[in-house]
Amino acid sequence: MSDGSAAPAIELVDVMKRYGEAVALDGLSLQIQAGEFFCLLGPSGCGKTTTLNLIGGFVPLTSGELRIEGRRVNDLPPHKRNVNTVFQNYALFPHMTVAENVAFGLRMEGLPASDIGRRVDEYLELVDLAGFHDRYPGQLSGGQAQRVALARALAKRPAVLLLDEPLGALDLKLRKQMQVELSRIHRQVGTTFVFVTHDQEEALSMATRIAVMAGGRIRQIGSPREIYQRPVDRFVADFIGESNFLGGELRNDGPGPIFRLREGTELPVVPGFGSTRTTGPATLMVRPESVAVGPIAPTGPAPMAVIAGRAANVAFMGNHTRITVKTDAGVLVSIRFHESGKGAAEEEMVDREVHVWWDPRESTIVAAGDEPDVGEETGGG
Amino acid sequence: MSTEIVGGAAVAPPASPRSGRAARLRQLAPFLPAGFILIGLFFVPLALMFVFSFWSTDVNLDVLPVWTLENYVNFFENPGYVRTLLKTMLMGAGVTLACLVGAFAVAYFLARYVSRRWARFALLLIIVPFWTSYLLRVYSWQAILGEHGALNQVLMALGVISEPSFLFVYNDVGTFIVLVYVYVPFAALVLYSSLERFDFTQVTAAQDLGANSLRAFRHVLLPQIRPGIITACIFVFIPILGEFLTPSMVGGASGLLIANLVANFFKNALIPEGAAIGFMIAVIVLILLIAFRRYLRVEDVYARG
Amino acid sequence: MAVFDQQYSRRRFLQISAAVGAVVSLGGVTAACNVTGGQGGTFNWMTWGDHYIDEQLKAIEASDKIIANISELAGNAEGFAKLKEVKGQLDMISGDALWVPDAYYKDGLIEPFDINDLKVASQLYPFAREFPIWTKPEGYLGYPFGWSPISIYYNPKFVDPAPDSWEVLFDPKYEKRIVVENQPEEIVAYMGKAAGFDDVYNMTDDQLATVKGYLERLKPNVLRFAQQATDSVNSMISEEAYLITGNLGNEDRVKDGGGPEIKGYIPKEGTVGWMDAEMVVKGGANTSLIFPYLEKAEVAENIAANFITHGRPLFNEAAYKVLVDQGEKDRADRYHYNESESILAATTLKGPGTSTEKSIQLFNDVFAA
């Protein structure tokens, strides 16, 4: 494993990838530190899989530089990169047993048979498949096949493990289990994981850092929390989770920045949350769970952002309730998680005049209002 | 690898033995025509051939139902037959190998790098010659390989040779070339249908795990298409044991194969004599089929070709 | 027509099978339709492709309502085997020389008749109505049609001096320059002639041992085996072959195909040959149509036209006169049309013999790997 102190595990410098005329990666620069669980997130066609394939050595890059553990590997074949991959469809060898699958890479390395046996046992245990040695891939469930693929790649003890949408083929419940498993395994082996997904929830739940990609470029890199709470633009906000967007104008002619809706209501915003320095047309984003709904907005020490409207729909969703409010500024969605001992008062609000409000620290200015959104059709949670 | 229940017997409700048998008979009914065809066109002729091979022909060319081993004794006492049979098998093995190599290259390219639609189209083109009669195709080869044929003209125009060459025709080389041409499509179809099912990510995975291309081929691809390869071998090798048209047309005086010797008997109504050698070939075929029955995937050609 | 003109191929085999199948089914249908045996009808005939001309068949159908339902005959042995199977489902079948008495007649498959009951028979050379091999107490075995000896053809550009014997086939000068037809029994038979034997379809073991030496000398000179007569002709046209064996008339076929001037001769040691006949099948459902058909089909004008189309001599003497009148005397004489009696007398007629099986074994032995 890499010592990680000096060089990043992976470094991309101004990487271009073209397929004929089509630009797949447009000057990508990226550093992934040793031991990270790094996620490349984006809609299909955003370049995330291409990035993974470049790192894995399965496709050559057009220009730029790729370094793994500080070493330039642009022209090295896959098996000389100290990188291993878990493929989207697992690509297990169906004619080999589980043990033979895991041993394959070690055999290719020329390890002595006794070492191979030990290593196979070790990694099957790691992925919780001890005793599955003699099964064939055809006899495994999807989750088990996924673990074998993981063990097979990890048994090589690579500096970096690449995972290409590894949970895509699993059903929802299994996917959640595997998310927990993957996190555990990552903590246990300490290897750098680079993970590609289009599922924002997966990314948020497992990654230590996320790069949101669109159109062959990185839109934002940050921790899951940063990405979720402070998306830099409407695309990122829209792609990660559900958002309320309000169009208006940012003004900075008073004591603090003010977001003025088109119909005139003025909402306080916190300086520095989003691009509050440039005034003019802008979009304000606030997450539904940050939005409260009630007959009257509470008054407190800090000024709240308040908009009047009418509750159009209240939907009980099990662990939460979803309230849709029509305002002159547009439709806003509020999500209220149920707390024990509280009655279901929300239902009574339907068709009543209500107010929606939020703490200005919960909202952020995402981008100029007329910015064209890349890949918006696939955005949203 | 799936374990499916064959037929419907397993889900039939328990019943008395008699009605159970009736039900089973009813289930089998749709297969009766196939059964009759198999029996009528395969088992009966084979049995007849077997019986005939122990009889003899009189001067009147009537088959006499007198039991004798003479036809077989004649086969083994006459080194020419054994030699020709061995030569035929050698020719079959050589052609099979050449077909495999050529067909694999084509099928691999189509399966891996060409979209399924275009691959199927290309396969169709490969099969197109089958729409012309076999005889015509071999005649065409005579025209290509002959003394004044296209090949000699090209070689002479290129200055490779100054006189027309008989190197490629009316000898075993000619037979080899034409047989490869005739059977390559069979091999290509079978191998393509094997490769089409193969998930090439596995090759990538093998390389990712440290295998070079050769080892990825040997350890990952080859074991999985082995049934296809064996099917292709059988589909090429076995018919060659019965080939008489090509050797008699482009093989020349020294290029006859075992089926030519058999045909010479049948042509003169010497049925028992021909049947004995024919049966020897059938036995070889049966031995091969039994040896490789596990790998035979007939549906490759008929269901997917 | 001759065995030598037969190709033996998978395609042909399928054609025959299909044709026989059709004959069997059609035979049943037409038999049912023709029980009353009136003036017209359909009869089933297995014959070689040069025994009829389509226009002539159409003319007979138009004038007499007699339809010949023809299936292709591949060879004597196969025709014989097939007739044994389908019997009365055929009404007429063609066969060669000794096959007629020694196979068809012996097995009781055909119905002898009085040839002089046919008016058209008076146009035949008289000896053709009296071949001893075809004369049995019950009557004559078939209606004589065509004939030919097996000759050698050579291209004088390459073969010099002009040969007159079988020996030329063994000359090392002509290594891989001879095309023979793929007919083992005939090849063995004329090798017997080359060795000076007479009864080459009934050779003794000693004779066969001698013939083996001749076959072994022939082998290196054989370029390839012809599947059908046109293959031999084409190999002369392309000049791939210097020498071929075959029926009368190949010099014209080579010339017609744009090939060189070639010459043919009957080897001085004698040769084998064939003459064929139309036989009436015993128990055929529509045999009543055969005489009326033959009366129309075998007239001199038709036979003369057949000669021009298919190019080998026939037994109709009146047709020779028609050919002379039409200015075709040269051609007819080149084909020995008018010499049938003397040439056939010096020719060993093809037929199933006592050495058939051993001939094939011998051939296989020499040409095996």
Side-chain angles (χ1 to χ4, degrees):
Chain A
M1 262 157 278
S2 123
D3 55 311
S5 53
I10 292 173
E11 192 173 11
L12 278 75
V13 184
D14 206 19
V15 167
M16 295 282 289
K17 177 65 195 173
R18 281 197 206 89
Y19 292 104
E21 289 292 292
V23 177
L25 290 182
D26 191 6
L28 201 71
S29 292
L30 177 66
Q31 285 193 356
I32 300 172
Q33 303 305 325
E36 273 198 273
F37 196 141
F38 191 88
C39 181
L40 293 162
L41 176 68
S44 59
C46 70
K48 60 188 191 298
T49 302
T50 304
T51 309
L52 201 74
N53 283 337
L54 284 176
I55 300 171
F58 306 121
V59 294
L61 35 78
T62 308
S63 69
E65 189 158 312
L66 171 64
R67 295 197 201 102
I68 293 175
E69 294 183 300
R71 187 168 59 128
R72 184 188 145 102
V73 297
N74 282 28
D75 306 314
L76 283 186
H79 61 274
K80 291 194 177 150
R81 291 188 175 199
N82 201 13
V83 162
N84 286 105
T85 308
V86 174
F87 293 88
Q88 189 167 5
N89 61 355
Y90 318 142
L92 295 181
F93 308 130
H95 60 297
M96 296 183 196
T97 61
V98 164
E100 286 166 349
N101 264 283
V102 177
F104 183 83
L106 309 174
R107 265 169 62 212
M108 294 299 119
E109 248 175 69
L111 244 54
S114 56
D115 290 5
I116 292 179
R118 258 201 311 280
R119 198 90 76 91
V120 168
D121 291 345
E122 180 190 335
Y123 280 89
L124 280 181
E125 200 155 320
L126 174 73
V127 297
D128 217 9
L129 282 181
F132 277 66
H133 290 69
D134 297 329
R135 300 268 190 106
Y136 281 90
Q139 299 166 308
L140 301 176
S141 71
Q144 289 165 344
Q146 158 78 90
R147 289 159 195 257
V148 175
L150 207 56
R152 184 176 69 176
L154 282 173
K156 296 274 289 181
R157 295 187 175 153
V160 177
L161 182 74
L162 306 177
L163 301 104
D164 185 7
E165 306 234 12
L167 309 182
L170 304 178
D171 64 41
L172 186 66
K173 206 170 157 191
L174 207 52
R175 201 147 61 207
K176 304 237 178 208
Q177 278 175 21
M178 279 310 295
Q179 285 171 12
V180 176
E181 275 291 286
L182 273 177
S183 298
R184 171 185 68 79
I185 290 165
H186 174 249
R187 282 195 307 275
Q188 216 164 321
V189 296
T191 306
T192 312
F193 279 27
V194 179
F195 184 95
V196 156
T197 187
H198 65 272
D199 185 326
Q200 44 103 4
E201 194 196 309
E202 227 166 79
L204 292 175
S205 73
M206 294 189 290
T208 53
R209 260 193 331 145
I210 297 172
V212 181
M213 294 184 70
R217 291 166 172 276
I218 290 174
R219 287 302 187 97
Q220 186 172 6
I221 297 185
S223 72
R225 211 167 280 276
E226 280 166 16
I227 298 269
Y228 186 79
Q229 290 179 338
R230 305 278 171 257
V232 293
D233 59 21
R234 183 167 175 159
F235 171 81
V236 175
D238 219 11
F239 195 76
I240 310 269
E242 195 180 1
S243 312
N244 291 302
F245 295 107
L246 294 167
E249 189 191 356
L250 187 69
R251 303 173 69 141
N252 220 345
D253 40 14
I258 287 291
F259 190 80
R260 188 186 155 91
L261 295 174
R262 287 192 186 104
E263 36 60 275
T265 309
E266 295 195 336
L267 305 173
V269 291
V270 177
F273 281 16
S275 41
T276 50
R277 235 163 287 164
T278 42
T279 55
T283 299
L284 182 113
M285 189 281 294
V286 60
R287 299 286 182 189
E289 66 271 21
S290 305
V291 177
V293 184
I296 300 164
T299 48
M304 288 283 173
V306 184
I307 310 176
R310 172 185 290 271
N313 189 40
V314 176
F316 176 68
M317 308 293 286
N319 63 346
H320 68 271
T321 300
R322 215 181 138 82
I323 305 162
T324 313
V325 179
K326 269 190 182 156
T327 71
D328 291 341
V331 174
L332 279 142
V333 174
S334 162
I335 287 175
R336 310 196 53 177
F337 289 92
H338 304 146
E339 294 163 42
S340 54
K342 254 192 161 184
E346 292 94 347
E347 273 84 344
E348 294 160 14
M349 287 194 287
V350 179
D351 271 350
R352 301 260 181 87
E353 299 294 331
V354 292
H355 285 91
V356 294
W357 66 89
W358 60 86
D359 185 328
R361 282 170 300 187
E362 299 283 334
S363 69
T364 190
I365 303 294
V366 289
D370 54 357
E371 190 213 5
D373 286 335
V374 181
E376 194 176 31
E377 73 279 1
T378 49
Chain B
M1 212 131 301
S2 69
T3 51
E4 55 183 348
I5 296 159
V6 178
V11 292
S16 70
R18 187 181 299 171
S19 72
R21 190 176 304 158
R24 200 155 321 141
L25 280 179
R26 264 200 304 281
Q27 280 160 3
L28 286 177
F31 298 103
L32 277 181
F36 282 130
I37 287 172
L38 191 67
I39 290 169
L41 296 183
F42 182 70
F43 289 116
V44 170
L46 200 64
L48 280 178
M49 193 160 103
F50 185 66
V51 170
F52 270 87
S53 71
F54 290 102
W55 289 350
S56 57
T57 317
D58 66 4
V59 287
N60 213 7
L61 297 183
D62 288 324
V63 173
L64 295 183
V66 178
W67 300 96
T68 171
L69 281 172
E70 203 188 318
N71 300 320
Y72 288 98
V73 170
N74 179 58
F75 176 87
F76 286 108
E77 275 191 344
N78 226 320
Y81 291 110
V82 180
R83 265 205 313 272
T84 309
L85 182 59
L86 290 177
K87 176 189 170 177
T88 307
M89 292 173 72
L90 200 67
M91 174 69 79
V95 172
T96 306
L97 191 69
C99 284
L100 276 186
V101 171
F104 182 82
V106 173
Y108 186 89
F109 176 76
L110 291 180
R112 184 154 195 191
Y113 301 111
V114 178
S115 77
R116 187 162 293 196
R117 216 174 104 232
W118 285 107
R120 299 247 157 158
F121 182 71
L123 286 172
L124 194 68
L125 289 183
I126 292 174
I127 307 167
V128 160
F130 280 79
W131 295 346
T132 4
S133 100
Y134 184 12
L135 192 68
L136 281 183
R137 282 181 284 147
V138 185
Y139 271 121
S140 313
W141 274 104
Q142 270 188 351
I144 294 168
L145 301 173
E147 182 179 23
H148 307 289
L151 182 64
N152 270 323
Q153 306 223 345
V154 168
L155 289 179
M156 280 161 71
L158 292 175
V160 180
I161 48 175
S162 53
E163 297 261 294
S165 164
F166 275 123
L167 206 61
F168 303 104
V169 76
Y170 308 134
N171 52 26
D172 294 330
V173 179
T175 306
F176 179 82
I177 292 172
V178 176
L179 287 181
V180 168
Y181 158 79
V182 168
Y183 286 101
V184 142
F186 288 100
L189 281 182
V190 175
L191 289 182
Y192 175 76
S193 83
S194 261
L195 288 166
E196 188 191 33
R197 266 176 293 193
F198 179 76
D199 168 18
F200 281 97
T201 330
Q202 289 179 38
V203 173
T204 315
Q207 288 172 333
D208 180 73
L209 292 167
N212 58 26
S213 315
L214 194 70
R215 294 175 92 185
F217 173 79
R218 221 188 89 203
H219 296 292
V220 175
L221 178 60
L222 198 60
Q224 292 185 61
I225 62 164
R226 185 172 292 139
I229 290 175
I230 289 172
T231 308
C233 285
I234 285 176
F235 269 68
V236 174
F237 185 78
I238 287 179
I240 287 174
L241 296 183
E243 271 293 339
F244 65 92
L245 190 62
T246 295
S248 76
M249 284 180 70
V250 295
S254 59
L256 298 189
L257 299 182
I258 189 72
N260 294 95
L261 308 186
V262 178
N264 286 342
F265 283 120
F266 281 113
K267 206 157 29 178
N268 286 278
L270 298 165
I271 294 166
E273 292 78 356
I277 309 178
F279 197 76
M280 305 285 299
I281 299 172
V283 166
I284 292 173
V285 170
L286 280 177
I287 289 173
L288 287 175
L289 289 181
I290 289 167
F292 293 108
R293 70 189 181 285
R294 279 197 306 135
Y295 298 107
L296 253 190
R297 285 208 300 228
V298 177
E299 88 272 14
D300 283 358
V301 164
Y302 294 106
R304 314 184 101 242
Chain C
M1 140 86 222
V3 250
F4 276 78
D5 277 29
Q6 298 320 307
Q7 58 165 312
Y8 190 83
S9 70
R10 212 182 268 185
R11 187 180 63 131
R12 176 59 65 93
F13 176 74
L14 291 174
Q15 282 174 348
I16 294 162
S17 314
V20 169
V23 167
V24 170
S25 48
L26 268 176
V29 174
T30 49
C33 293
N34 288 308
V35 257
T36 50
Q39 279 299 303
T42 302
F43 73 96
N44 300 304
W45 183 18
M46 184 177 257
T47 189
W48 285 292
D50 64 354
H51 275 222
Y52 56 89
I53 292 175
D54 284 334
E55 293 78 56
Q56 296 177 5
L57 293 180
K58 279 191 195 114
I60 294 169
E61 185 182 338
S63 61
D64 294 70
K65 308 279 178 292
I66 298 175
I67 300 167
N69 176 37
I70 290 167
S71 46
E72 183 87 25
L73 181 55
N76 282 297
E78 285 136 295
F80 175 54
K82 197 48 76 179
L83 185 62
K84 278 200 278 192
E85 252 174 66
V86 304
K87 300 228 170 68
Q89 284 160 0
L90 284 170
D91 300 299
M92 186 155 80
I93 188 163
S94 309
D96 271 331
L98 287 161
W99 283 89
V100 173
D102 291 353
Y104 290 98
Y105 169 71
K106 230 183 233 174
D107 273 31
L109 295 169
I110 53 168
E111 195 77 69
F113 54 88
D114 186 345
I115 184 125
N116 295 313
D117 285 351
L118 278 161
K119 267 191 297 185
V120 74
S122 63
Q123 297 184 354
L124 295 169
Y125 289 100
F127 79 94
R129 298 193 294 263
E130 293 160 6
F131 285 120
I133 59 164
W134 289 351
T135 308
K136 296 289 166 187
E138 300 94 315
Y140 211 55
L141 299 184
Y143 186 90
F145 189 70
W147 61 278
S148 177
I150 302 308
S151 317
I152 293 177
Y153 292 88
Y154 64 96
N155 186 337
K157 198 159 106 192
F158 305 112
V159 179
D160 188 64
D164 61 353
S165 141
W166 292 107
E167 276 299 321
V168 69
L169 299 186
F170 311 123
D171 192 331
K173 269 197 299 190
Y174 308 123
E175 189 188 339
K176 286 213 160 202
R177 285 300 179 185
I178 299 172
V179 170
V180 293
E181 288 179 81
N182 194 10
Q183 296 290 344
E185 198 192 4
E186 312 313 321
I187 294 172
V188 172
Y190 61 65
M191 287 297 105
K193 284 287 174 190
F197 302 132
D198 197 33
D199 194 3
V200 290
Y201 292 100
N202 299 288
M203 285 192 274
T204 64
D205 288 359
D206 284 351
Q207 288 175 326
L208 285 167
T210 310
V211 167
K212 186 177 182 184
Y214 282 80
L215 269 182
E216 280 165 348
R217 287 163 65 203
L218 174 69
K219 186 178 177 181
N221 284 4
V222 172
L223 176 66
R224 64 186 172 95
F225 295 103
Q227 295 305 305
Q228 44 190 338
T230 50
D231 287 0
S232 308
V233 169
N234 287 336
S235 67
M236 282 307 246
I237 293 171
S238 73
E239 300 192 340
E240 218 169 59
Y242 299 169
L243 291 138
I244 60 171
T245 56
N247 285 324
L248 291 175
N250 275 335
E251 62 269 58
D252 285 347
R253 293 184 194 108
V254 169
K255 208 167 154 192
D256 292 347
E261 218 44 83
I262 68 164
K263 289 185 172 160
Y265 64 96
I266 296 171
K268 63 182 180 192
E269 299 91 341
T271 187
V272 295
W274 55 272
M275 56 185 202
D276 60 14
E278 315 297 1
M279 296 172 278
V280 179
V281 174
K282 186 173 272 178
N286 313 293
T287 48
S288 61
L289 296 170
I290 290 177
F291 273 29
Y293 168 79
L294 291 175
E295 293 284 13
K296 288 283 181 177
E298 301 290 332
V299 295
E301 292 70 25
N302 281 355
I303 297 300
N306 188 298
F307 173 79
I308 298 296
T309 308
H310 294 301
R312 38 89 199 88
L314 297 129
F315 286 118
N316 191 311
E317 186 174 16
Y320 178 70
K321 297 187 177 74
V322 173
L323 289 168
V324 171
D325 292 346
Q326 288 173 351
E328 297 284 353
K329 184 174 187 304
D330 274 1
R331 182 160 171 170
D333 288 346
R334 235 181 327 109
Y335 285 64
H336 309 283
Y337 193 108
N338 213 14
E339 298 166 66
S340 47
E341 189 164 10
S342 58
I343 288 178
L344 282 173
T347 298
T348 300
L349 288 175
K350 155 147 199 60
T354 52
S355 54
T356 301
E357 182 179 345
K358 284 184 172 149
S359 298
I360 303 303
Q361 296 279 21
L362 184 67
F363 181 89
N364 278 355
D365 200 22
V366 172
F367 284 90

